[in-house]
């Protein structure tokens, strides 16, 4: 240990050594925001050099989104004597860092200043966010699992009631309700199987639904084409009504468009252009159809679902019948 007379215990030397040894950043600035003193950690966090910082004001260290918040915290520090804030700083080397700043106001040589120190809490924030995300994902998995099970129970009950019904028309209506419930269940199943719960890829869904309906109606004289743009995704809010519309229109094509046809053709297309989705279900049936006069349950449901999507339903006769639903996402 060096002798006492060789130690430099001056206040200035101790303060400077203390600032240099701090694990976080340090900055001293005046009431106008001009920076007077800082340590190397500030240069590291901000990505600015010593030459740049000496001509800067403290608000220039943060991006536009943080300027207003930091300015309010500076005012609070001058008014109350101290304040704490979490500020996000974009660095040139490490990306965005979340810094926990603590500021204390003081007077030096008749002027008002703030001493601010800060530590990097990015990793702790990331851990907290990861925990929140994991908890939400677990909750979503449980919700989707319960919904799928509940839909399965409803489908089974409807099937049992259909088996017990003596009236053929009642049996038919109950069977149609079963297929509607299964369509919703398929959407939830597909969502449950994906990593991202916020979107459903509708290309495989349409193919699965058509296979299910073809099996249900047992039509051997029907050729079915599906054409779905790659990367068409819907969230659950838009996915369920869109799935039900596809179900209703395709079922309608099987039941009515293919009726009396030796060779029935059904084409289902789903395209997206400039944010507008166009769902088209075409059949080569030659029967007449008036949208204004058609008031069956299926068509009423389709129009209601189109309204739910804030879209519209049109019918075109073009060597067959095309039902076209357009909506934005």
């Amino acid at each position: 240990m060096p002798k006492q007379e060789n130690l430099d215990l001056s206040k200035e030397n101790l303060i400077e050594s203390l600032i240099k040894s701090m694990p976080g950043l340090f900055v001293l600035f005046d009431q106008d925001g001009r920076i007077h003193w800082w340590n190397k950690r500030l240069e590291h966090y901000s990505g600015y050099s010593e030459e740049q910082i000496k001509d800067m004001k403290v608000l220039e260290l943060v991006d536009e989104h943080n300027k207003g918040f930091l300015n309010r915290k500076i005012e609070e520090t001058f008014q109350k004597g101290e304040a704490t804030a979490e500020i996000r700083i974009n660095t040139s080397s490490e990306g965005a860092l979340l810094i926990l700043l603590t500021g204390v106001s003081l007077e030096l040589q008749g002027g008002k200043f703030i001493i601010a120190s800060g530590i990097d809490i990015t990793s702790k924030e990331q851990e907290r966010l990861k925990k929140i995300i994991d908890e939400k994902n677990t909750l979503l998995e449980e919700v989707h699992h319960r919904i799928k099970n509940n839909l399965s129970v409803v489908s089974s009950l409807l099937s049992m009631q259909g088996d017990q019904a003596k009236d053929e028309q009642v049996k038919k209506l109950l069977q149609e309700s079963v297929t509607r419930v299964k369509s919703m269940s398929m959407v939830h199943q597909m969502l449950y199987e994906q990593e991202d719960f916020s979107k459903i890829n509708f290309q495989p869904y349409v193919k699965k639904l058509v296979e299910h309906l073809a099996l249900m109606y047992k039509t051997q004289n029907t050729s079915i084409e599906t054409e779905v743009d790659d990367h068409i995704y819907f969230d659950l809010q838009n996915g369920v009504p869109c799935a039900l519309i596809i179900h209703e229109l395709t079922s309608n094509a099987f039941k009515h468009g293919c009726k009396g046809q030796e060779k029935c053709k059904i084409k289902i297309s789903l395209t997206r252009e400039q944010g507008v989705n166009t769902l088209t279900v075409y059949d080569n049936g030659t029967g007449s159809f008036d949208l204004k006069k058609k008031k069956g349950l299926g068509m009423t449901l389709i129009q209601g679902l189109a309204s739910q999507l804030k879209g519209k339903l049109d019918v075109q006769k073009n060597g067959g019948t095309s039902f076209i639903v357009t909506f934005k996402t």
Side-chain angles (χ1 to χ4, degrees), residues 118-166:
I119 56 173
D120 180 7
I121 59 170
T122 307
S123 59
K124 292 183 179 180
E125 177 69 6
Q126 289 173 341
E127 289 175 7
R128 185 181 72 85
L129 291 175
K130 184 179 183 301
K131 183 179 179 182
I132 292 173
I133 291 171
D134 289 343
E135 290 174 351
K136 287 187 175 181
N137 282 339
T138 301
L139 178 61
L140 281 170
E141 287 181 10
E142 179 65 20
V143 168
H144 287 303
H145 184 68
R146 287 181 180 272
I147 289 174
K148 182 175 173 291
N149 285 347
N150 290 340
L151 289 172
S152 179
V153 170
V154 172
S155 177
S156 297
L157 289 173
L158 289 172
S159 294
M160 290 172 60
Q161 287 183 320
D163 293 339
Q164 295 174 5
K166 296 180 180 180

Side-chain angles (χ1 to χ4, degrees), residues 36 117 120 139 150 194 205 208 250:
H36 293 266
S117 59
D120 180 7
L139 178 61
N150 290 340
Q194 295 185 81
Y205 170 80
K208 284 186 179 180
T250 307

Side-chain angles (χ1 to χ4, degrees), residues 51-231:
E51 289 299 315
Q52 290 173 309
I53 292 177
K54 71 179 183 179
D55 296 321
M56 294 174 66
K57 291 190 175 182
V58 70
L59 288 178
E60 296 178 67
L61 294 172
V62 298
D63 58 29
E64 291 297 326
H65 296 92
N66 283 277
K67 281 186 180 2
F69 175 69
L70 181 58
N71 193 49
R72 289 192 295 272
K73 283 296 179 178
I74 291 172
E75 292 176 358
E76 180 182 336
T77 305
F78 281 121
Q79 291 172 3
K80 298 182 178 181
E82 62 179 295
T84 301
E86 292 181 5
I87 295 292
R88 196 168 297 278
I89 295 177
N90 293 321
T91 71
S92 57
S93 58
E94 299 183 41
L97 295 178
L98 187 64
I99 307 296
L100 177 62
L101 283 175
T102 300
V104 178
S105 64
L106 71 162
E107 289 192 11
L108 294 173
Q109 299 176 347
K112 293 183 177 181
F113 292 80
I114 288 179
I115 291 178
S117 59
I119 56 173
D120 180 7
I121 59 170
T122 307
S123 59
K124 292 183 179 180
E125 177 69 6
Q126 289 173 341
E127 289 175 7
R128 185 181 72 85
L129 291 175
K130 184 179 183 301
K131 183 179 179 182
I132 292 173
I133 291 171
D134 289 343
E135 290 174 351
K136 287 187 175 181
N137 282 339
T138 301
L139 178 61
L140 281 170
E141 287 181 10
E142 179 65 20
V143 168
H144 287 303
H145 184 68
R146 287 181 180 272
I147 289 174
K148 182 175 173 291
N149 285 347
N150 290 340
L151 289 172
S152 179
V153 170
V154 172
S155 177
S156 297
L157 289 173
L158 289 172
S159 294
M160 290 172 60
Q161 287 183 320
D163 293 339
Q164 295 174 5
K166 296 180 180 180
D167 188 301
E168 289 300 320
Q169 181 64 18
V170 172
K171 282 188 175 183
K172 181 181 176 182
L173 291 173
L174 288 171
Q175 184 59 42
E176 288 177 355
S177 295
V178 169
T179 60
R180 290 180 180 118
V181 173
K182 285 184 177 179
S183 293
M184 288 187 284
S185 181
M186 286 171 64
V187 174
H188 281 277
Q189 178 61 30
M190 291 185 67
L191 193 61
Y192 180 74
E193 292 172 352
Q194 295 185 81
E195 293 183 1
D196 188 349
F197 289 144
S198 66
K199 58 186 180 182
I200 308 164
N201 184 353
F202 252 60
Q203 191 174 60
Y205 170 80
V206 173
K207 291 182 179 180
K208 284 186 179 180
L209 178 60
V210 169
E211 290 172 2
H212 170 71
L213 292 173
L215 186 64
M216 173 188 168
Y217 288 101
K218 298 186 173 88
T219 54
Q220 297 180 354
N221 67 331
T222 304
S223 66
I224 306 170
E225 297 178 21
T226 60
E227 182 183 310
V228 181
D229 282 356
D230 292 337
H231 309 302

Side-chain angles (χ1 to χ4, degrees), residues 264-275:
C264 180
K265 179 179 180 180
I266 297 174
K267 182 176 181 180
I268 304 162
S269 67
L270 180 59
T271 60
R272 176 177 294 165
E273 187 174 349
Q274 295 181 345

Side-chain angles (χ1 to χ4, degrees), residues 34-49:
R34 289 190 297 269
I35 299 173
H36 293 266
W37 202 7
W38 66 94
N39 63 356
K40 287 291 183 181
R41 185 67 64 174
L42 177 63
E43 298 172 19
H44 173 71
Y45 282 166
S46 67
Y48 291 109
S49 66

